Amino acid sequence: GALLYSHLQHKVRSAEALAQKYKQQQEALSAQLQVVYEHRARLERSLQKERGEHKKTKEDFLVYKLEAQEALNKEKQDSMNRYGALSSQHKILKNQHDDVKKQLLDLQLQHNSLRLEHRKSLESHSQKLAQLQQERDSEVSTLQDTVFKLREESKLLRKAHLEVHSQLLSAQAQMEEFRQLKEALQKMPGLR
């Protein structure tokens, strides 16, 4: 019984020591658990704060996204309007370009036609000028021959005029001589 009692006491002391050890461990674990709970509470508060900030950031992002979408839509509409205006202006300029190109082709054709007419006219004028020069040369030659003949005729006429004048003077002298003779005859009484 004493051995059993001693053994039981030893067991009780061992159990108490073990219980004390477990109690210390429990206290340590409780302290650690308290630290964990406090850490968890801080983490939950931080998480709540993060969630609040995340919600605010999300709302801000949604507002920014909505504003950006509206700005993008407005810019897209402005771009479409500008594109429409530029497209209309491009069509107008293209039509003007086509008209100017057509006018240029017409003017080039007209220029070529006028150049051909000018060349023909120039050739015709050159031919007419050559013909006129030839006719003028021929006429000048004819006129020179005529002048030469007229000069010769003038010389002959002067010579004939001198001869006629000489004959006239001779006839006048003869007439004067005849008149004097007639007067002399009239003065003779026997002839009457």
Side-chain angles (χ1 to χ4, degrees):
L3 285 172
L4 182 62
Y5 180 75
S6 176
H7 179 69
L8 287 172
Q9 276 189 337
H10 179 68
K11 286 265 190 185
V12 167
R13 281 196 296 271
S14 295
E16 286 178 352
L18 188 62
Q20 186 67 28
K21 181 181 177 185
Y22 284 151
K23 187 177 180 182
Q24 289 176 353
Q25 287 181 352
Q26 183 181 5
E27 289 176 354
L29 286 173
S30 294
Q32 289 178 359
L33 190 60
Q34 185 67 29
V35 171
V36 168
Y37 282 152
E38 290 176 359
H39 185 62
R40 180 184 173 190
R42 283 196 303 272
L43 285 176
E44 284 180 351
R45 285 194 300 272
S46 177
L47 182 61
Q48 288 294 329
K49 186 179 178 183
E50 287 289 331
R51 282 179 178 170
E53 291 179 356
H54 176 70
K55 186 177 179 182
K56 186 176 182 303
T57 304
K58 188 176 180 181
E59 290 175 353
D60 292 342
F61 174 73
L62 288 174
V63 171
Y64 169 76
K65 183 179 178 183
L66 185 61
E67 290 176 351
Q69 188 68 34
E70 288 177 354
L72 184 63
N73 289 336
K74 185 176 182 300
E75 188 174 349
K76 185 177 179 182
Q77 186 65 35
D78 293 342
S79 297
M80 290 297 292
N81 292 336
R82 283 198 302 270
Y83 174 76
L86 288 173
S87 179
S88 300
Q89 190 175 3
H90 173 70
K91 286 180 181 177
I92 292 171
L93 290 174
K94 187 173 183 298
N95 291 333
Q96 289 179 353
H97 173 71
D98 292 339
D99 291 341
V100 169
K101 192 174 180 182
K102 186 175 180 299
Q103 289 177 3
L104 177 64
L105 289 174
D106 292 341
L107 287 174
Q108 283 179 344
L109 291 173
Q110 188 176 357
H111 173 71
N112 291 334
S113 176
L114 288 174
R115 188 167 59 183
L116 186 61
E117 287 181 10
H118 175 70
R119 188 182 301 163
K120 289 180 179 178
S121 177
L122 191 63
E123 290 175 357
S124 175
H125 287 162
S126 297
Q127 290 176 357
K128 285 182 180 178
L129 182 63
Q131 184 179 356
L132 287 174
Q133 285 179 344
Q134 186 176 359
E135 291 177 358
R136 187 199 66 185
D137 293 341
S138 176
E139 191 173 346
V140 166
S141 178
T142 304
L143 287 174
Q144 285 177 348
D145 292 341
T146 304
V147 167
F148 179 74
K149 288 177 181 177
L150 288 174
R151 281 179 181 166
E152 292 296 322
E153 287 179 6
S154 176
K155 288 179 183 178
L156 293 174
L157 285 173
R158 280 195 191 122
K159 188 176 179 183
H161 177 70
L162 289 175
E163 289 178 359
V164 168
H165 186 64
S166 174
Q167 290 176 2
L168 184 60
L169 288 176
S170 176
Q172 283 179 351
Q174 288 178 0
M175 285 287 293
E176 183 65 27
E177 188 179 341
F178 177 74
R179 189 181 62 79
Q180 290 175 0
L181 182 61
K182 184 179 178 183
E183 287 177 358
L185 286 174
Q186 285 178 352
K187 288 177 181 178
M188 287 184 177
L191 289 175
R192 283 183 186 172

